Amino acid sequence: MSTQANLTTALSEIDCARDIVEFSTVVVARDKQLRKADHPVFLQKAALEFQSRFLPNFEESIRAGRSWGYATTCNAVSRKAGGQVGRDVCERIASRVSLLDHALIGKIGIRALSIFAASFGRHSNRAECRKGAIRIAKFCREESRPLQELNNLSLAALINGFSKWPEEADFRQAAVAIAGDVIRRAGRHHQLSDFTQQGLVSLVNGFSKWPDEAASRQAAATLALEILHRSGRLCEFPQQGLAILVNGFSKWPEELACGQVTIAIAGEVLRRVARFHEFGEQDLANLVNGFSKWPDEAVSRQATIAIASELLHRADQLPHYSQQGLANLVNGFCKWPEDATCRKAAIAIAGEVLWRAVQLPDQSEAKRS
């Protein structure tokens, strides 16, 4: 079937969907199948249909036990390909969620709420998305028992949605409740053996947004121990996952398990030297900044030197690095000032920073004109 025929069929399927269950099933299936060129067209059409046909009946559908279709559709259209209309729909449904009473939000179900939280978190600058997420956070804080029903990926979706507003007390308290649930699970017979790689990475990333909370620290240490139990399988983690883990664990350098797993990851990074070209700029910056929290460890130093060498090989790409990324790299390299490679990499970054400073007056003048 041609690309155009696929899109035509997909659009016809959402037009013919009789209820939110059929509609969401089509949206989720086609969201995974359509090619890049057709994906935004389909999702934006789906968002418009969702808004006009199904959103007005949201509360009625909750009472009828049909919340799941709303959550999965919102999750799909709120992504980048959903465009402006997808963002608007996400904001509208967040507004409806924010107004639900305790009984009605409880009927949505915790799995659907975790999907809503992740969706709202994608648009943290929207006031209604924040309000909707706050309503979910309050429910999680008040009714922590339903958290036990979630698998690790749903827990991760919750905390990463909340992490977009780390300064808010409601999200902090909900994060503590989620951390408590992870800690309790670790005490069971099978511990965290059912947690996936993606779940482990996402949970560490989420807890790292509240490093001063004792529960976050304890949960992160618990997850670190689980990863240490799988240290022979670190080779299965993607590059970005390793970088996120190191960045997360670096928030608690005093925790023995966090340090041990970071050193193990440094060893894995060294084994991937030939594949360094696959690491993104942000991944390299996170790794260097994280390894620098354990400067006395030889493997941290060796991994950082290897990354410094890679950075020098791709020095022509420095103009594409974010200011935060450059800062993280320098912060890491400066922990080993006696090493010539780290020093050269830091000097190259200094040159890029200087070049940007020189260009600023010209850029400001261009904007004024």
Side-chain angles (χ1 to χ4, degrees):
M1 187 179 291
S2 69
T3 300
Q4 184 59 44
N6 273 332
L7 177 59
T8 301
T9 300
L11 293 175
S12 175
E13 288 173 348
I14 58 173
D15 283 339
C16 295
R18 293 170 296 179
D19 55 37
I20 186 61
V21 176
E22 286 187 16
F23 182 84
S24 63
T25 300
V26 173
V27 170
V28 172
R30 292 298 185 174
D31 182 41
K32 297 176 181 177
Q33 295 170 358
L34 289 171
R35 297 182 179 181
K36 291 182 179 180
D38 298 326
H39 197 210
V41 175
F42 172 75
L43 283 185
Q44 289 168 35
K45 170 64 173 175
L48 288 171
E49 289 287 315
F50 179 58
Q51 177 177 315
S52 62
R53 293 172 55 193
F54 301 110
L55 192 53
N57 302 318
F58 181 50
E59 290 81 3
E60 179 182 341
S61 295
I62 294 174
R63 296 185 181 94
R66 295 185 169 185
S67 308
W68 184 253
Y70 285 85
T72 54
T73 302
C74 182
N75 182 53
V77 302
S78 65
R79 296 182 185 276
K80 184 177 180 180
Q84 181 68 40
V85 63
R87 291 191 293 273
D88 290 344
V89 167
C90 182
E91 185 173 26
R92 287 186 173 91
I93 200 165
S95 177
R96 304 285 282 269
V97 169
S98 70
L99 299 175
L100 297 177
D101 60 29
H102 191 79
L104 203 52
I105 197 169
K107 287 185 69 67
I108 289 180
I110 191 65
R111 288 181 63 217
L113 288 175
S114 71
I115 294 176
F116 278 132
S119 302
F120 301 161
R122 295 191 186 108
H123 306 293
S124 57
N125 61 330
R126 299 273 183 121
E128 295 304 325
C129 288
R130 172 181 158 275
K131 291 177 182 177
I134 286 176
R135 185 67 193 90
I136 297 171
K138 287 181 176 178
F139 177 79
C140 293
R141 185 191 67 202
E142 297 164 0
E143 300 285 345
S144 59
R145 186 177 295 274
L147 294 175
Q148 300 173 24
E149 303 171 17
L150 296 178
N151 64 21
N152 63 101
L153 293 175
S154 293
L155 282 175
L158 263 182
I159 196 163
N160 277 289
F162 296 159
S163 72
K164 302 304 188 295
W165 302 275
E167 301 304 321
E168 292 275 355
D170 289 305
F171 298 121
R172 178 181 292 270
Q173 292 163 6
V176 169
I178 296 170
D181 186 73
V182 169
I183 294 165
R184 282 189 294 274
R185 294 185 191 207
R188 297 174 185 170
H189 177 63
H190 294 293
Q191 297 184 325
L192 306 178
S193 59
D194 60 332
F195 277 34
T196 63
Q197 292 177 6
Q198 182 183 345
L200 291 168
V201 170
S202 296
L203 284 166
V204 170
N205 183 60
F207 291 134
S208 71
K209 303 303 191 294
W210 293 277
D212 297 330
E213 283 291 341
S216 289
R217 184 175 67 251
Q218 188 178 350
T222 299
L223 294 169
L225 287 172
E226 176 60 29
I227 296 171
L228 283 172
H229 291 155
R230 312 179 189 186
S231 58
R233 293 159 54 191
L234 280 176
C235 59
E236 300 173 8
F237 281 75
Q239 280 87 329
Q240 186 179 47
L242 293 178
I244 291 172
L245 286 174
V246 169
N247 184 61
F249 289 134
S250 71
K251 304 299 191 299
W252 304 281
E254 71 285 355
E255 282 289 337
L256 179 61
C258 292
Q260 290 174 330
V261 75
T262 301
I263 299 312
I265 291 173
E268 175 59 28
V269 167
L270 281 171
R271 287 187 285 274
R272 301 190 187 191
V273 169
R275 297 165 53 193
F276 267 13
H277 62 279
E278 299 176 11
F279 283 80
E281 290 84 357
Q282 185 175 352
D283 296 336
L284 293 179
N286 283 339
L287 287 169
V288 169
N289 190 54
F291 293 152
S292 71
K293 301 301 175 29
W294 290 272
D296 297 330
E297 294 288 344
V299 69
S300 287
R301 176 177 177 274
Q302 292 163 5
T304 302
I305 291 171
I307 293 172
S309 179
E310 171 65 20
L311 190 75
L312 289 171
H313 288 152
R314 55 166 96 171
D316 60 327
Q317 298 178 24
L318 284 176
H320 303 296
Y321 282 55
S322 68
Q323 291 182 348
Q324 185 61 54
L326 294 177
N328 285 342
L329 287 166
V330 171
N331 181 63
F333 293 144
C334 73
K335 298 299 192 299
W336 295 277
E338 73 286 353
D339 182 82
T341 306
C342 288
R343 191 164 56 250
K344 288 178 182 177
I347 291 171
I349 293 171
E352 171 61 24
V353 172
L354 179 61
W355 184 88
R356 294 186 189 188
V358 170
Q359 297 300 309
L360 281 176
D362 294 337
Q363 292 173 3
S364 299
E365 184 63 33
K367 289 179 181 178
R368 284 196 296 270
S369 61

